[in-house]
Amino acid sequence: MDPVVEEVEKTKREWDEAYAKTQEHIKEIQEYGKSTLEETKNKNSLPRLNGLAQDGLSLLNALQFNLDLLAPQLPTNEEVQSAKALLDTWKSQCQSLRLSLRNANLQAKENMRKTAQKERELLLGGGEESTIRRRNLQTKAGMTSAAESITESLRRTRQLMVQAKESTGVLRKAESEYKGHRSLLMRTRNLLSTMQRQDVIDRVVLIVGFVLFSCAVLYVVSKRIGILKLQRTVTAAIKAGMAGKAEVARKAVEDGINHGQFHENAVPKVGIPLQQPMHDEL
């Protein structure tokens, strides 16, 4: 079967179901308020019934729009004309449902007015039935008051539970923030420990470097002092050697003079300048 035809058939089935349910809701609205107030309270409220009926009308409008889109896509011309005719029928049915819904609401209001008047007459009238009804109303009023007090107590309990839940949420949030700060503090503590270790290492390196530098300076100074001592020693030795030569020369001269004194026939040395010529006195 063609998919468009299948979609049209599905739309027809959904229309029939929605139309039947909407008619039921409109009928319930029309019958609303005919029974006593107690029986009326046990049933669905009038606004709820009106909401269900409006939802049904909205669904019918959507199905009608869907059929309007699918009709031109049908394979044969006869099916297209049939779908258009069905669409016109649906439009008239929707209009009829809206009118029926309006009349049903008017009827429901009239029914509630008549029922309320009847209940008032029964309450104000005499007889055993009126007495029983008044007692029932008093009992219902007491039950209503008790129900209201219970409802108020439950409301306060709910507020307390909401507050407790909010407090729990606040505590959980504070705990999560504390955990976040705790992890941050742990990271900071580890970083400080690392910095302290690095500071100790830097100090050790500086001390070792200073000691090595001092040792090098002392080594250089000691070497320099040794060289100076060596130079002084060498200088002293050279000076001592020169002094020894002078002493030897002096001793040699002295020895020569003494030798001349012992040999009278020896001619003494006379210091004669080289440039002065010698003259024979003879």
Side-chain angles (χ1 to χ4, degrees):
M1 184 180 291
D2 189 77
V4 178
V5 177
E6 291 181 357
E7 191 66 26
V8 169
E9 294 295 329
K10 181 180 177 182
T11 304
K12 289 179 181 180
R13 290 193 299 269
E14 291 178 355
W15 170 273
D16 293 335
E17 294 176 0
Y19 186 78
K21 289 182 179 179
T22 306
Q23 281 185 331
E24 291 178 1
H25 295 321
I26 292 173
K27 187 177 180 180
E28 289 179 0
I29 292 171
Q30 189 175 2
E31 298 293 330
Y32 188 85
K34 287 185 176 180
S35 58
T36 60
L37 293 176
E38 182 64 25
E39 294 176 353
T40 303
K41 289 180 181 178
N42 293 332
K43 295 181 180 179
N44 289 329
S45 63
L46 185 61
R48 177 175 174 78
L49 292 174
N50 276 288
L52 294 173
Q54 291 293 338
D55 291 341
L57 289 173
S58 299
L59 180 58
L60 292 175
N61 287 329
L63 294 172
Q64 180 181 342
F65 180 75
N66 190 21
L67 182 61
D68 191 11
L69 292 176
L70 293 173
Q73 303 178 19
L74 290 171
T76 61
N77 191 21
E78 294 179 357
E79 291 178 346
V80 172
Q81 295 299 327
S82 176
K84 288 183 178 180
L86 181 61
L87 185 61
D88 294 335
T89 304
W90 284 5
K91 289 180 180 180
S92 62
Q93 289 178 351
C94 283
Q95 200 68 22
S96 176
L97 287 175
R98 288 192 181 90
L99 183 60
S100 299
L101 179 61
R102 188 180 301 112
N103 294 330
N105 279 296
L106 294 174
Q107 184 65 37
K109 290 180 181 179
E110 183 66 20
N111 293 336
M112 287 189 293
R113 187 186 65 80
K114 290 180 179 180
T115 303
Q117 185 177 1
K118 184 178 179 181
E119 290 285 339
R120 192 180 302 110
E121 291 175 356
L122 289 174
L123 288 172
L124 296 176
E128 185 179 356
E129 185 177 358
S130 299
T131 304
I132 294 173
R133 189 172 294 275
R134 282 194 295 269
R135 289 177 181 176
N136 290 334
L137 288 176
Q138 291 176 357
T139 304
K140 290 176 183 178
M143 293 175 63
T144 303
S145 178
E148 289 178 355
S149 63
I150 293 172
T151 304
E152 185 65 23
S153 178
L154 291 174
R155 187 180 294 110
R156 288 195 299 268
T157 304
R158 182 178 178 275
Q159 290 178 355
L160 291 174
M161 291 177 66
V162 170
Q163 292 176 359
K165 185 177 180 180
E166 291 177 354
S167 301
T168 304
V170 172
L171 290 175
R172 288 179 179 176
K173 185 177 180 181
E175 184 181 1
S176 62
E177 291 181 356
Y178 172 74
K179 288 181 179 178
H181 290 302
R182 183 180 180 183
S183 61
L184 180 61
L185 291 173
M186 290 296 293
R187 289 196 297 270
T188 306
R189 183 179 178 182
N190 294 331
L191 182 60
L192 289 174
S193 300
T194 304
M195 293 177 66
Q196 289 177 355
R197 288 195 298 270
Q198 189 65 34
D199 183 57
V200 172
I201 293 171
D202 292 340
R203 289 183 181 181
V204 171
V205 170
L206 287 174
I207 293 172
V208 172
F210 180 74
V211 171
L212 292 177
F213 177 75
S214 301
C215 292
V217 170
L218 291 174
Y219 177 77
V220 171
V221 171
S222 63
K223 286 292 184 181
R224 185 64 179 172
I225 291 173
I227 292 172
L228 290 175
K229 286 183 178 180
L230 181 61
Q231 288 179 354
R232 290 176 183 176
T233 303
V234 171
T235 304
I238 292 173
K239 289 182 179 180
M242 292 177 65
K245 288 181 180 180
E247 185 68 24
V248 170
R250 187 178 61 79
K251 286 182 177 182
V253 171
E254 290 179 356
D255 292 339
I257 293 172
N258 294 329
H259 186 72
Q261 290 178 356
F262 288 107
H263 298 279
E264 294 178 357
N265 295 327
V267 180
K269 287 184 177 181
V270 179
I272 301 173
L274 295 177
Q275 290 85 4
Q276 185 176 0
M278 297 178 64
H279 297 282
D280 191 3
E281 295 180 356
L282 298 175

